[in-house]
Amino acid sequence: MKTISTLALAAGMVAAGAGAAFAQGASSDAILRTYADIALAGYEDALTTARALDAATNALIANPSDETLLAARAAWIASRPSYQQTEAFRFGNAVVDAWEGKVNAWPLDEGLIDYVDASYGAESDANGLYTANVIANPKLSIDGQEVDATEITPEFLASTLQEAGGIESNVATGYHAVEFLLWGQDLNGTGPGAGQRPFTDYSTEANAARRGQYLDAATDLLVTDLEEMVAAWAEGGEARTALGESGLSTILTGMGSLSFGELAGERMKLGLLLHDPEEEHDCFSDNTHASHLNDGIGIRNVYLGRYVRVDGSVVEGPSISALVAAKDAKLDAEVRSQLDDSVAKLQAVADRAAGGEAYDQQIGEGNVEGNATVQAAIDALIAQTRGVERAVALLDLGDAVTIEQSDSLTNPDAVFE
């Protein structure tokens, strides 16, 4: 298995020459084909690793033990890099953004799914299902209607429980629901340690059979949802076809929005402002550092038109980098340098985590060095967004590109209101 560091290195080996490799004949159609081919390969890899996760969770359910639980957790962690690198395809692609909430929505009110610690609280003014605990309760009331939850199936999770009552934090499906079922709550605050769910939750503890039923349904559904997105990026698929309408603006919208509003803002700066461990993407597993790093790598992938697959093979072709370089080589070199810098700064966050200081500890109040490491990554992401905006202007795409914003970056006082 590649380590985070070697994965980042492999993805960045061509940073100095990617634009030149395809500088001739970098038509819009050719660039969009590369972009779609990378999307397809990324979602195929995400599907492959999700199937491995499904097999590992099946083994846990069939034979609960420390070994099978640890193997399932390892399979979950291994499934994240390829998926996170696809997040650069979200913004600007309506097909992907409408679908994404099924597989990667967060944060979630975990009391909807299973038991929680008393510190979680018993109720929420914003969510009547805050502690519904579907695993313990085969009957639920949703919007005043009794719901039969006797059988926890993929269909039940997707059509009834996901965003039940119209509440976004009622996340019942996807990576983070599975993550919670494998780790349980992380009750360590900004101290060391991830969730510590015991394997006995799937054998001798109360509702073990229903917990296994939920985990089985959630992983099966994750595979099905990823199969849907693979089909959407295949030849003739909905997402690939839609590129003909949106054009190159889609690539730069995705790069800028993930860089700025989503990653630098909502996923990083918000948690740093609040010093809140609940504001971390993979909060149960303490894997947030890896998810942020692979988001950064994914942004760079689409600019360079190059993706390293989980099997080590490479998908590459004409890129936005080549198009920008043909018009302004200096700007292209600057953007590529900014992308490399943001990946390096995100790698520094990951390196601290590898050294024993998890992301939630790095954003903790009073951790001067950890806070500074995270802030440096945020600053690099903001800088690369400015580079993306200059590329948008160079290519005369300003009217077609809208970059997602975040109060955490543009109006931080609002975060505390």
Side-chain angles (χ1 to χ4, degrees):
M1 181 189 300
K2 291 184 177 71
T3 65
I4 292 171
S5 296
T6 57
L7 179 61
L9 179 62
M13 287 176 65
V14 296
F22 296 101
Q24 300 302 318
S27 68
S28 294
D29 287 347
I31 292 168
L32 290 171
R33 173 165 286 279
T34 299
Y35 175 79
D37 288 346
I38 290 174
L40 176 60
Y43 285 113
E44 285 176 339
D45 284 349
L47 175 58
T48 296
T49 54
R51 284 172 172 158
L53 170 62
D54 189 31
T57 56
N58 287 343
L60 167 63
I61 295 163
N63 182 28
S65 68
D66 280 329
E67 291 74 17
T68 54
L69 176 57
L70 289 174
R73 288 176 178 174
W76 187 90
I77 288 172
S79 75
R80 292 295 281 163
S82 53
Y83 176 77
Q84 287 302 122
Q85 288 185 46
T86 69
E87 287 216 293
F89 299 98
R90 273 188 59 191
F91 306 93
N93 283 303
V95 172
V96 179
D97 219 17
W99 166 92
E100 181 272 342
K102 299 192 291 185
V103 298
N104 201 41
W106 77 286
L108 69 160
D109 288 344
E110 56 263 38
L112 169 74
I113 297 172
D114 202 359
Y115 69 86
V116 289
D117 186 75
S119 62
Y120 180 82
E123 59 185 10
S124 164
D125 291 340
N127 186 5
L129 296 168
Y130 186 66
T131 54
N133 191 351
V134 69
I135 285 174
N137 296 292
K139 299 289 184 183
L140 299 177
S141 178
I142 300 177
D143 289 337
Q145 299 293 317
E146 185 174 277
V147 173
D148 184 359
T150 303
E151 294 295 324
I152 304 176
T153 64
E155 293 75 19
F156 171 76
L157 296 183
S159 63
T160 302
L161 208 59
Q162 177 74 350
E163 295 190 2
I167 298 170
E168 289 187 356
S169 61
N170 284 333
V171 176
T173 68
Y175 287 101
H176 297 296
V178 174
E179 180 192 10
F180 172 56
L181 288 166
L182 293 177
W183 274 271
Q185 290 178 288
D186 180 353
L187 301 172
N188 301 295
T190 55
Q196 294 295 319
R197 184 186 292 277
F199 79 84
T200 50
D201 273 8
Y202 291 93
S203 57
T204 59
E205 292 301 312
N207 304 302
R210 282 179 62 80
R211 192 167 292 112
Q213 191 178 79
Y214 195 122
L215 180 60
D216 184 46
T219 51
D220 286 352
L221 185 60
L222 179 61
V223 168
T224 300
D225 286 336
L226 287 165
E227 288 172 340
E228 176 186 340
M229 193 47 54
V230 167
W233 286 102
E235 292 291 342
E238 184 181 9
R240 186 180 286 259
T241 300
L243 285 178
E245 301 173 7
S246 58
L248 297 178
S249 62
T250 297
I251 303 177
L252 293 163
T253 296
M255 288 180 62
S257 294
L258 181 55
S259 296
F260 192 76
E262 186 69 12
L263 184 54
E266 296 306 296
R267 297 190 186 179
M268 297 185 73
K269 187 62 175 182
L270 179 59
L272 188 57
L273 286 170
L274 300 175
H275 304 294
D276 185 357
E278 292 298 309
E279 294 292 341
E280 61 160 338
H281 197 221
D282 297 355
C283 66
F284 308 116
S285 62
D286 275 353
N287 188 59
T288 300
H289 58 280
S291 285
H292 289 350
L293 172 60
N294 282 286
D295 270 337
I297 292 170
I299 295 165
R300 187 172 65 181
N301 289 346
V302 299
Y303 185 76
L304 298 179
R306 189 176 194 272
Y307 169 63
V308 180
R309 300 197 63 165
V310 293
D311 65 2
S313 62
V314 176
V315 178
E316 61 185 334
S319 66
I320 281 280
S321 175
L323 188 61
V324 172
K327 292 176 176 290
D328 187 336
K330 184 178 178 180
L331 175 58
D332 173 62
E334 182 181 328
V335 174
R336 286 190 282 110
S337 177
Q338 290 167 335
L339 290 164
D340 286 344
D341 186 54
S342 68
V343 170
K345 296 299 195 302
L346 290 164
Q347 181 69 63
V349 173
D351 288 344
R352 289 184 77 91
E357 185 179 85
Y359 185 81
D360 54 7
Q361 295 174 265
Q362 293 180 48
I363 65 172
E365 189 170 9
N367 184 346
V368 176
E369 288 188 8
N371 283 194
T373 304
V374 173
Q375 183 62 54
I378 293 168
D379 292 342
L381 289 164
I382 293 171
Q384 82 179 25
T385 306
R386 302 288 88 88
V388 169
E389 289 171 340
R390 290 179 63 195
V392 168
L394 177 72
L395 300 176
D396 196 24
L397 295 171
D399 292 340
V401 174
T402 301
I403 293 176
E404 295 282 331
Q405 302 295 299
S406 169
D407 280 345
S408 302
L409 300 175
T410 59
N411 185 22
D413 289 343
V415 171
F416 299 98
E417 292 177 355

